[in-house]
Amino acid sequence: MVKQIGGELLVSGQRFALVASRFNEFITSRLIDGATDCLLRHGATEDNITVVWVPGAWEIPVVSARLAASGSYDGIICLGAVIRGSTGHYDQVASEVSKGVARVGLTSGLPVIFGVLTCDTIEQAIERAGTKAGNMGFKAAQSAIEMVNLYAKLPKSK
Ligand code: INI
């Protein structure tokens, strides 16, 4: 029988930080609602969820890195909304937040989940924040739960 390792969708005392941007708060507050709903419905308590607000998506990676280094959390969920219509520097913000979150995940040793919407229009963002296309915050939290449980089972580095 081939050995298989996976993470359960169950929270049992793990602590999660949600790093959310105030920019496009109309959208990101819905992502926080979705993520919180998912965590609570999978067994988390409110005491184990902390929301950390940052000004915009650009600031998500640096603050995530600080939180990861604190040792106070088992998983970090990054929530933001970068919308092309709102700015001239969409490409820079979207690209840096994607690369930055990936880098924190690779270097911190913690699961760092990318729940940042990158959309052309505000309508697309609304669709992904709890309407037609589901809620990206909920999906990000689901991935975070699975990854936190998976990390606990992975072989330790030598
Ligand atoms: N921040 C976002 O989170 N979403 C955006 O769509 C956005 N736009 O369009 O500019 C945005 N800009 C702000 C940026 O993230 C920083 O907060 C700002 O540049 C200060 O460093």
Side-chain angles (χ1 to χ4, degrees):
M1 175 101 152
V2 175
K3 184 172 179 180
Q4 299 192 29
I5 306 176
E8 298 85 14
L9 285 178
L10 188 66
V11 181
S12 46
Q14 296 97 335
R15 301 151 303 166
F16 293 87
L18 278 50
V19 183
S21 55
R22 283 192 200 284
F23 205 104
N24 294 322
E25 186 269 345
F26 175 77
I27 301 293
T28 60
S29 59
R30 299 304 177 296
L31 301 180
I32 292 172
D33 290 346
T36 306
D37 180 40
C38 178
L39 293 170
L40 295 175
R41 284 165 63 179
H42 287 84
T45 61
E46 288 188 345
D47 290 345
N48 289 335
I49 305 171
T50 304
V51 177
V52 181
W53 288 97
V54 296
W58 184 272
E59 285 75 31
I60 289 175
V62 278
V63 171
S64 299
R66 288 278 298 267
L67 295 171
S70 72
S72 301
Y73 303 101
D74 300 291
I76 312 270
I77 303 168
C78 300
L79 302 172
V82 192
I83 304 174
R84 193 180 288 279
S86 335
T87 181
H89 59 296
Y90 167 91
D91 291 312
Q92 288 90 333
V93 175
S95 159
E96 290 307 315
V97 66
S98 315
K99 284 189 280 177
V101 169
R103 187 159 155 206
V104 179
L106 285 169
T107 55
S108 68
L110 279 191
V112 181
I113 304 300
F114 190 67
V116 178
L117 298 175
T118 52
C119 304
D120 286 331
T121 64
I122 194 128
E123 288 76 18
Q124 285 177 350
I126 291 169
E127 283 180 7
R128 297 169 199 176
T131 58
K132 283 199 263 183
N135 186 312
M136 173 71 133
F138 191 102
K139 291 175 193 164
Q142 222 170 19
S143 299
I145 296 168
E146 185 173 344
M147 288 292 282
V148 161
N149 286 316
L150 175 60
Y151 271 37
K153 292 183 186 173
L154 291 176
K156 306 283 172 252
S157 48
K158 284 190 179 176

